[in-house]
């Protein structure tokens, strides 16, 4: 019998339950995937707590990798035995096996392991759209990334450095500062003891940065605006500290005609062709060694409760993978 993590009511990590499930045969346009690794992401917490509502009961998770075991009618270009990965709705990644639309998966190159693929798809394609589409980083840019030692943060640091940017990152400890610096972060700011606005202004000689990438949200948002140069772009792509309060948009004008966007990976990869391009460019920089995917924590899938506790307690660095 196949097992999966099921959520019957939203709440804390204790609502994650390891249960037997029945997996249907793949329907038209679907594949059956026997999963070998599953990515852990903060968006999983948002679904678990109900911040991002999902019909109950449900199996959480948006990212995984594995082997194709069966192919539904109408599926072309995918065969039984293929290694594939995904980072996309529908929910259901926290399972030993699942069905998923075939147009949501991509083939894993030989140079990439299953664990790397499961750890890199959501965070890596997030880094891709942040750096290559939302604000296209150019050589010579100086950028600010919050949570620089987190999963997305470490990828952004490496990729931005590869693109020729100077990277400023906020972190919560000396250990995380060292980790961020080892991954291309030029200037680390300990946000618990340093004023990051003051430090960013010092580093940029008062000019500010053209872009701030902020996944923290409530605790950093308003101060992040003060780090931007005129016409700069505020990219809010998460809210690990809580939702941002309602904003008087006149503040954007007062602070220098700033741009504000709240992007999501799902919008950037909704079209199959965009998904394929993003994954290909991600796989390319990883295969070249410009961006290293480091799985710093692994948990058994049945221990997802502890994995969520550690993630929310900021005890994890880099990428985390759940193993069926």
């Amino acid at each position: 019998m196949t097992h999966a993590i099921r959520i019957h009511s939203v709440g804390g990590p204790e609502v994650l339950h390891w249960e037997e499930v029945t997996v249907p045969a793949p329907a038209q346009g679907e594949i059956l995937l026997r999963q070998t690794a599953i990515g852990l992401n903060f968006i999983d917490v948002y679904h678990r707590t109900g911040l991002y509502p999902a019909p109950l009961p449900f199996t959480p998770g948006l990212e995984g990798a594995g082997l194709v075991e069966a192919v539904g009618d109408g599926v072309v270009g995918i065969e039984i035995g293929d290694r594939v990965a995904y980072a996309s709705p529908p929910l259901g990644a926290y399972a030993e096996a699942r069905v998923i639309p075939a147009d949501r998966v991509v083939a894993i190159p030989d140079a990439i392991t299953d664990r790397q693929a499961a750890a890199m798809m959501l965070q890596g394609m997030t880094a891709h759209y942040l750096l290559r589409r939302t604000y296209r980083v150019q050589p010579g840019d100086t950028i600010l990334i919050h949570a620089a030692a987190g999963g997305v943060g470490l990828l952004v640091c490496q990729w931005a450095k590869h693109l020729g940017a100077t990277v400023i990152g906020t972190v919560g400890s000396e250990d995380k500062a060292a980790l961020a610096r080892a991954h291309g972060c030029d200037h680390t700011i300990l946000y618990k003891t340093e004023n990051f606005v003051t430090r960013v202004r010092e580093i940029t000689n008062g000019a500010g940065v053209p872009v701030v990438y902020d996944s923290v949200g409530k605790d950093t948002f308003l101060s992040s605006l003060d780090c931007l140069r005129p016409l700069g772009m505020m990219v809010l792509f998460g809210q690990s500290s809580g939702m941002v309060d309602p904003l008087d948009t006149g503040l954007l004008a007062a602070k220098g005609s700033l741009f504000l966007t709240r992007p999501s990976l799902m919008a950037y990869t909704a079209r199959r062709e965009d998904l394929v391009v993003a994954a290909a460019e991600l796989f390319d920089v990883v295969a070249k060694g410009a961006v290293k995917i480091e799985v710093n924590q692994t948990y058994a899938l049945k221990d997802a409760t502890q994995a969520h506790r550690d993630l929310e307690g900021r005890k994890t660095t880099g990428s985390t993978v759940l193993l069926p």
Side-chain angles (χ1 to χ4, degrees):
M1 179 65 76
T2 296
H3 288 78
I5 296 290
R6 298 287 285 167
I7 293 176
H8 296 271
S9 62
V10 297
E14 69 278 358
V15 304
L16 299 167
H17 298 287
W18 180 244
E19 300 177 2
E20 290 185 350
V21 296
T22 299
V23 181
Q28 177 89 19
E30 293 181 336
I31 61 170
L32 172 62
L33 186 63
R34 176 63 57 179
Q35 303 203 111
T36 53
I38 296 149
L40 175 72
N41 298 284
F42 222 95
I43 194 172
D44 304 342
V45 174
Y46 300 156
H47 287 124
R48 191 202 74 219
T49 61
L51 179 64
Y52 292 176
L56 294 166
F58 67 92
T59 295
L62 289 167
E63 178 182 44
L67 293 172
V68 178
E69 284 198 335
V71 175
D73 291 340
V75 173
V76 295
I78 298 176
E79 298 180 354
I80 293 173
D82 284 353
R83 297 169 61 236
V84 299
Y86 65 90
S88 173
L91 294 173
Y94 283 29
E96 293 175 323
R98 67 170 302 186
V99 293
I100 188 170
D103 68 352
R104 293 290 88 198
V105 306
V106 295
I108 302 173
D110 291 341
I112 306 295
T113 69
D114 287 11
R115 292 189 185 189
Q116 284 180 313
M120 72 193 289
M121 288 291 290
L122 194 147
Q123 294 174 349
M125 291 196 299
T126 296
H128 175 269
Y129 82 69
L130 292 174
L131 296 170
R132 308 311 294 143
R133 296 183 67 188
T134 305
Y135 175 87
R136 193 169 180 86
V137 170
Q138 302 295 324
D141 280 343
T142 298
I143 69 170
L144 173 62
I145 173 76
H146 288 299
V152 173
L154 291 179
L155 299 182
V156 166
C157 288
Q158 294 177 80
W159 206 332
K161 193 67 177 176
H162 174 64
L163 294 170
T166 297
V167 183
I168 306 172
T170 66
V171 293
S173 69
E174 289 287 0
D175 287 346
K176 290 188 175 183
L179 183 64
R181 287 193 295 269
H183 289 77
C185 192
D186 297 282
H187 305 276
T188 54
I189 301 172
L190 295 170
Y191 67 84
K192 294 179 181 178
T193 58
E194 297 179 278
N195 183 305
F196 70 80
V197 177
T198 300
R199 288 287 293 120
V200 167
R201 290 291 172 178
E202 289 173 353
I203 292 166
T204 61
N205 295 317
V209 295
V211 63
V212 176
Y213 297 116
D214 189 341
S215 63
V216 177
K218 186 180 181 66
D219 290 351
T220 53
F221 178 78
L222 290 177
S223 295
S224 291
L225 296 179
D226 291 329
C227 294
L228 288 165
R229 72 186 186 192
L231 308 185
M233 178 174 287
M234 175 68 188
V235 184
L236 180 69
F237 68 102
Q239 54 272 330
S240 61
S241 68
M243 297 289 287
V244 172
D245 293 331
L247 177 71
D248 176 359
T249 54
L251 192 64
L252 300 176
K255 291 183 179 293
S257 296
L258 304 179
F259 294 87
L260 168 64
T261 183
R262 178 57 177 91
S264 75
L265 175 63
M266 307 320 161
Y268 276 90
T269 57
R271 298 192 311 162
R272 171 72 182 171
E273 51 265 47
D274 291 331
L275 169 63
V276 171
V277 168
E281 293 187 10
L282 171 62
F283 290 148
D284 181 62
V285 294
V286 171
K288 288 177 177 176
V291 174
K292 294 179 173 59
I293 305 300
E294 296 172 348
V295 180
N296 291 343
Q297 299 83 209
T298 60
Y299 300 79
L301 177 57
K302 64 183 178 61
D303 296 330
T305 295
Q306 187 59 51
H308 274 232
R309 289 196 180 108
D310 291 348
L311 179 65
E312 291 180 278
R314 300 185 185 279
K315 296 179 180 178
T316 64
T317 60
S319 298
T320 302
V321 165
L322 307 175
L323 301 175

